[in-house]
Amino acid sequence: MAPTPLSAQVPVTVLTGYLGAGKTTLLNRILSEQHGKKYAVIVNEFGELGVDNDLVVNADEEVFEMNNGCICCTVRGDLIRIIEGLMKRKDKFDGILVETTGLADPGPVAQTFFTDDDVKARTKLDAIVTVVDAKHFLGQLEQGSEAEEQVAFADVILLNKTDLVSPDELAKVEGKIAAINPYARIHKTEKSQIDLAVILDKGAFDLKRILEFEPDFLTHGHDHDHEEEVKSQSITSDRPVDPERFQKWMGALLQLRGGDIFRSKGILAIDGAPRRYVYQGVHMMMDSDWGSPWKEGEKRSSKLVFIGRNLDGDNLKRGFEDCLKQ
Amino acid sequence: MKIDLANPAWRQTLPPARSIAADAPVAACAFNRDGTTVAFALGDGSVRRLPADITAAAPDAPPPVHGGVVLALVADPVGDGFVSGGDDGRLLRIGADGTATELFNQKGKWIEHLAAHRTTGAIAASVGKTAIVVTKAGEVREFGPHQSTVADLDFSKDGSRIACAHYGGVTVWSLGHITQGQAAPPPRRFAWRGSHVALRWSTDGKFIATGTQENDIHVWRMAQATDMRMQGYPAKVKSLSWTADARFLYTSSQPVFTAWPFSGKGPEGKPPLQFGEEGAGLLSVVAAHPTAEFVAGGYDSGELQLGDIKAKRSVVLKMADGSAITCLAWSPDGFGLAVGNERGDLLVVDLHR
C-alpha cells in the first residue's frame, strides 16, 4: 500500500527579500511554468501576483507572541491556520511557498515550524530562500536592518538583477553577502530565472542532511570583515565535547542572546558517543538529534556555526572551550 | 434509551452504521434541524448529504458547491438543509434538495467558522478578521475587525450576542440592535494574552471557554468577568463541548474523556473528571450528547469511543485506523452519530438498534 499523502510532511520554502528584489517574478514563474509539480503559495501582497490560481492564499502576517514567558518566541498565527486549511484539500501538492513581505523578519515564520505541533506534524521547513537585488542591496543595507537580516537567515540566496550591475559592483555585493552569511549558497540570476530544483527541496533544516553542508563548514573558516554588525562565527575543535556542559552553555547562551542569534547549527563529537550529535536552531528554538556514526579511525571533530548580530566571537569560543574535555 | 455502557452485552456488539468512502478530507459534519439528513463538508468542495436512516439508499456523490475546500458546516437554523462556508469566500445555504444559494461572498477570504442559532434563525460566520451575522431575513451585519483573524465564534444561549476568539482574547458583540434598529453598543472584551484557537459558549450562557495556542484552556465567567485557566494538556485543545445541562465542559487532547465540573462553585481548585478506556493517541474531537450523560470522542488515531460520565466508563465503537477523526455530530434526538476523518470516511452510527 502506498503511504497516504496525509502522513507525509509537505516541504515549505520561505521566500524572503526586500521590496522589488524579484520575489513576485519568481512566484509567478513557479505558478505558471510547466514543471510537473504543484505548489501552494501563501502571499502577502495579493493582487500583485498576475496568476489566478486557487492554490494562491492571501495572508495577513499575524505575528503572535506565545504566552509562555519566552520573549522572542513569536509565531505566524496566520500560517498555522492556513496550513491547517490547506491540508483539508482533496488535491495534494508537492510543496508550499511562503512569501514574506519585504520588510518582514523571517524569524517568526521559521519559529512557527519549531513551535506548533500541528504544523510540525504536517509540514517541514525546507529552506529559507532570500532574493537579493544586486543593484540596490548595498543601498538597502544603509536603510535598516531588514535586508541584512534576510541574508543572515538564508540557506539559499538568489542574487538577482545581475544584468543591471557591472562585474565590480557584483563582486562587491557578493563580498558583502559572504561577510554576513558565508554558508548560504548563492545563485546569480537575471529576472529571477532559476532552475527550481536549485531552490526547492533543499532539506536545509533536515537534521539528517546537516552533514551535507559539511564542506561549507570547512571551506568557509576564514576571517570576516569585522565591521559587520551581522556576521557569522564558526568554531571548531578536535577535543571531545562534554554533553552536560554543552547543554548548559548553549541553553544559557540562547536564553540570553537568542534574540540576536538568527541561525545556529552544529555537529558535535560527544565524548564517548559513537555517533555525531547534530543540532540546528532559529533564535531560541532548537532541534537536535543523533546523526551518522563516526567511522573507524575517523578524526572526530566538532563544528559550530552562529549567524547573528553583535556576536562576540572570542566569548563564544571561550564558552565552547569550557565545554570540551580537558 | 438502550445505550447501556455498564451492560457487558452491549459492549460486545458494535452498533450498526453506514460507512462511505468519500476520498476527500472531512472538515465538518452536521445533522439537519429535524435530524432526517446528515451532511459532511469535504475537501473537494462538495457537501455530501446522506439520509440519517442508515437503511435508506445513499444518493450519488454531488458536484462541488465551493471552489476549494468546504471548511465549515452547520444545520440551517431556519430550513431543512445546511449552511456551509468555504475557502472560496462563499457562505452557502444548501437546501433540502441540495441546491445551493449564496448568502455572502468575499473573494480572497476564507469562511472557516460557522455558528447557527435555532430560535433566532441567525447564522454567524468568520470572514478573516471580521465576523458577520446573517439574520433570518437574510440581512448581513459585520462585527469587527478584530485584532487578528477570528479563530472561532459562538452564539450566546439566547442568541442575543456572539463571542469571537482571536489573538489577545475574546470579543462579545451584542446583536440586539439588529432587530430593534438601535445603534450597536460597544463590544465587551475579555482579554488574555496569546492566541485563542477554539471557543464555546456554555449551554447555560454563563461561561465562555477557549483553547489557546499554548495548550491551555481559558474560561471566563460572564457575570463577574472573572476568568480561570486550566493547564496540563499535551496539545492544543481545539475541541470543546459543554454538556446539555452545562454541568461539564468536555475537552479534547487527552487520552481519556476529560470533563471540567461547572456546577456549584465551578472548577477552580478541582481536578477534572477523567474516565473511560485509554484510547490510542489523543482525543481530537469531543461531542457531548444533546440530552443524556453520554459523550462521543474521536481520536487522532482514528479510534472512536462513547463515554458515560455517570457510569464513568466508555466503549470503543471503532478501532484506530491511522486516520484522525476530524468531526463528530449528534442527531437532535441523540440516536444518530456522524463521524468524519482526514481520509474521507463518512460514518453514520445508529444507536437505535
Side-chain angles (χ1 to χ4, degrees), chain A residues 6 52 54 57-58 60 62 64-67 80-82 84-90 92 116-118 122, chain B residues 23-25 27 43-44 69 71 87 108 110 112 129 148-149 167 192-193 195 213-214 234 236 238 342-343:
Chain A
L6 290 166
D52 190 25
D54 71 341
V57 185
N58 181 20
D60 274 334
E62 297 183 334
F64 293 169
E65 274 175 38
M66 294 282 287
N67 188 10
I80 297 172
R81 193 172 55 76
I82 289 168
E84 204 174 317
L86 284 173
M87 292 304 157
K88 292 174 182 163
R89 296 184 76 97
K90 182 189 178 186
K92 299 301 168 203
D116 190 88
D117 290 335
D118 298 326
R122 289 151 181 284
Chain B
D23 194 30
D44 61 3
V69 176
L71 293 166
D87 67 359
W110 288 9
E112 285 175 275
K129 292 181 183 176
S148 76
T149 299
Y167 180 59
W192 184 253
R193 281 187 56 196
S195 175
Q213 175 70 29
E214 292 80 17
K236 274 182 277 185
K238 289 193 283 190
E342 276 188 347
R343 193 166 50 210

Side-chain angles (χ1 to χ4, degrees), chain A residues 39-323:
Chain A
Y39 295 99
V41 179
I42 302 171
V43 294
N44 292 283
E45 287 105 323
F46 197 65
E48 253 191 62
L49 219 54
V51 181
D52 190 25
N53 185 316
D54 71 341
L55 278 177
V56 176
V57 185
N58 181 20
D60 274 334
E61 287 186 347
E62 297 183 334
V63 177
F64 293 169
E65 274 175 38
M66 294 282 287
N67 188 10
N68 59 5
C70 166
I71 305 158
C72 68
C73 197
T74 50
V75 296
R76 282 272 303 271
D78 59 312
L79 213 53
I80 297 172
R81 193 172 55 76
I82 289 168
I83 285 174
E84 204 174 317
L86 284 173
M87 292 304 157
K88 292 174 182 163
R89 296 184 76 97
K90 182 189 178 186
D91 302 325
K92 299 301 168 203
F93 30 83
D94 300 289
I96 299 173
L97 282 113
V98 182
E99 179 201 28
T100 67
T101 56
L103 294 174
D105 164 12
V109 186
Q111 289 178 164
T112 306
F113 294 87
F114 283 80
T115 310
D116 190 88
D117 290 335
D118 298 326
V119 169
K120 273 198 282 192
R122 289 151 181 284
T123 59
K124 57 180 182 198
L125 184 55
D126 185 66
I128 298 175
V129 177
T130 300
V131 186
V132 172
D133 179 339
K135 186 154 179 67
H136 296 109
F137 180 64
L138 297 177
Q140 286 158 1
L141 289 179
E142 309 292 316
Q143 286 167 27
S145 56
E146 292 87 3
E148 196 174 33
E149 287 184 9
Q150 287 164 356
V151 165
F153 268 102
D155 298 292
V156 176
I157 288 173
L158 250 63
L159 183 49
N160 196 30
K161 306 194 178 179
T162 52
D163 49 330
L164 303 181
V165 291
S166 67
D168 280 358
E169 285 175 290
L170 189 60
K172 209 171 160 201
V173 171
E174 277 187 89
K176 203 77 182 172
I177 291 172
I180 297 167
N181 179 357
Y183 304 98
R185 309 249 157 125
I186 302 178
H187 301 279
K188 290 175 216 167
T189 56
E190 295 173 18
K191 297 189 178 64
S192 303
Q193 293 277 354
I194 183 91
D195 177 5
L196 295 184
V198 164
I199 56 168
L200 301 172
D201 202 19
K202 302 315 288 176
F205 283 85
D206 187 344
L207 286 171
K208 288 193 195 76
R209 285 166 72 171
I210 280 190
L211 293 180
E212 292 174 23
F213 289 81
E214 246 184 311
D216 294 42
F217 274 127
L218 299 173
T219 53
H220 284 295
H222 56 74
D223 270 339
H224 306 301
D225 179 350
H226 287 287
E227 288 165 29
E228 302 300 332
E229 201 188 320
V230 176
K231 61 172 185 176
S232 70
Q233 179 67 51
S234 67
I235 305 171
T236 58
S237 175
D238 294 340
R239 273 157 53 204
V241 176
D242 179 319
E244 273 168 40
R245 271 186 276 173
F246 180 79
Q247 289 269 341
K248 214 170 147 188
W249 171 66
M250 191 55 107
L253 177 68
L254 293 181
Q255 191 68 40
L256 205 65
R257 299 290 321 279
D260 279 342
I261 297 173
F262 303 142
R263 298 283 299 263
S264 56
K265 53 178 128 182
I267 299 162
L268 301 180
I270 300 283
D271 188 40
R275 302 167 84 92
R276 291 165 171 82
Y277 190 74
V278 291
Y279 72 87
Q280 131 118 279
V282 171
H283 288 312
M284 287 183 190
M285 319 267 169
M286 185 152 285
D287 261 352
S288 59
D289 203 358
W290 292 103
S292 60
W294 299 102
K295 289 191 195 86
E296 191 72 31
E298 187 180 6
K299 185 175 149 192
R300 300 185 177 195
S301 55
S302 301
K303 304 165 194 85
L304 281 66
V305 172
F306 298 94
I307 302 173
R309 183 184 301 285
N310 302 323
L311 296 180
D312 181 345
D314 293 336
N315 195 309
L316 290 172
K317 277 180 188 159
R318 272 198 307 275
F320 185 59
E321 280 282 307
D322 290 341
C323 304

Side-chain angles (χ1 to χ4, degrees), chain B residues 200 237-242 249-254 256-258 282-289 295-299 305 325-330 337:
Chain B
R200 279 295 173 274
V237 180
K238 289 193 283 190
S239 179
L240 302 163
S241 183
W242 293 90
L249 169 68
Y250 283 106
T251 58
S252 64
S253 306
Q254 285 283 329
V256 292
F257 286 112
T258 302
L282 297 177
L283 283 161
S284 47
V285 201
V286 284
H289 192 275
V295 58
Y299 285 79
Q305 287 198 11
I325 290 181
T326 52
C327 57
L328 292 171
W330 286 102
L337 177 65

Side-chain angles (χ1 to χ4, degrees), chain A residues 1-8, chain B residues 343:
Chain A
M1 210 174 93
T4 80
L6 290 166
S7 58
Chain B
R343 193 166 50 210

Side-chain angles (χ1 to χ4, degrees), chain B residues 205-223:
Chain B
K206 291 179 182 166
F207 299 93
I208 289 176
T210 65
T212 74
Q213 175 70 29
E214 292 80 17
N215 304 350
D216 297 337
I217 301 209
H218 211 82
V219 182
W220 284 271
R221 194 180 258 110
M222 293 292 97

